[in-house]
Amino acid sequence: MIYRFRVILDHDAKDDIFRDIEIRETDSLEDLHNAITQSFGFDGLEMASFYVSNEDWEQGEEISMFDVSEGHNTIRTMSETMLNTVLDQTQTKLIYVYDFLSMWTFLVELAEIVEVVEGTDYPNLMFVHGQIPDSAPEKTFEAENFDDELSEFDDEDDIDIDEYDNLDFDENWN
């Protein structure tokens, strides 16, 4: 069977930028990683990970390029994880992060499972929409009532941090 994916540059991007990719269900996540990097014009040399996701796009289990756990808690790697062991008709979403310094983040959704088309080479880039920007979109983090949460610390005991003499600590403790 063939998995058809829509790979979308994360929601912080200014424009809709996505690729539709077909790949065999028995291919590895490393094969999907290579198809994604090539379709977006990356060299594929940076670290990357997939994360299993739920319907709300919440990040779950990590599947990394390499096992860097040093034997503590082994993690699944892309090369050893076949697509059909992670995704099916009920589990359709992954988050893909490429280049942990730039944090290119993509939403990867299994859109359809179809029969193999004879004469088609897989992976197959089916459709391209939008150009990738020169740098990764800046991440926006929302904190509900963040100012309200900080206000509980305001004027607590009326401490002036500029008046060190009145603080109860030994400045020569070490």
Side-chain angles (χ1 to χ4, degrees):
M1 300 301 288
I2 299 300
Y3 282 2
R4 285 186 177 161
F5 289 99
R6 173 149 293 172
V7 182
I8 305 168
L9 182 60
D10 76 356
H11 66 278
D12 291 324
K14 293 178 183 172
D15 300 314
D16 289 337
I17 301 166
F18 63 88
R19 307 292 185 259
D20 291 345
I21 298 171
E22 290 181 317
I23 190 168
R24 294 178 188 278
E25 70 173 332
T26 54
D27 283 345
S28 69
L29 280 173
E30 184 176 39
D31 295 323
L32 181 58
H33 153 77
N34 291 332
I36 292 170
T37 57
Q38 290 172 12
S39 72
F40 282 96
F42 296 120
D43 59 16
L45 301 176
E46 301 297 331
M47 288 292 294
S49 284
F50 284 97
Y51 298 89
V52 177
S53 179
N54 62 17
E55 286 299 313
D56 296 323
W57 293 106
E58 294 171 330
Q59 183 175 309
E61 176 192 6
E62 178 181 15
I63 303 170
S64 181
M65 286 181 72
F66 306 105
D67 184 354
V68 293
S69 65
E70 298 178 2
H72 300 294
N73 293 326
T74 57
I75 59 172
R76 292 202 279 182
T77 60
M78 289 182 199
S79 63
E80 298 171 343
T81 306
M82 302 307 115
L83 290 169
N84 60 7
T85 65
V86 178
L87 298 165
D88 58 31
Q89 291 178 333
T90 59
Q91 172 59 52
T92 61
K93 296 181 179 185
L94 297 170
I95 297 170
Y96 173 69
V97 178
Y98 176 76
D99 184 355
F100 291 111
L101 293 178
S102 297
M103 293 298 290
W104 290 98
T105 305
F106 299 87
L107 307 178
V108 180
E109 185 164 16
L110 176 59
E112 194 175 14
I113 302 172
V114 298
E115 296 289 330
V116 173
V117 175
E118 293 302 321
T120 301
D121 291 328
Y122 298 102
N124 176 34
L125 178 59
M126 296 174 49
F127 187 75
V128 172
H129 180 79
Q131 294 297 317
I132 193 93
D134 292 334
S135 60
E138 288 189 33
K139 305 292 177 257
T140 56
F141 298 98
E142 296 178 21
E144 291 183 33
N145 305 322
F146 187 70
D147 291 332
D148 293 340
E149 292 174 17
L150 288 179
S151 67
E152 72 181 73
F153 299 107
D154 291 348
D155 299 324
E156 190 173 311
D157 299 324
D158 292 325
I159 295 174
D160 183 358
I161 62 170
D162 293 325
E163 293 181 20
Y164 299 111
D165 296 335
N166 295 336
L167 296 176
D168 186 24
F169 71 92
D170 181 6
E171 63 189 45
N172 297 314
W173 64 275
N174 62 356

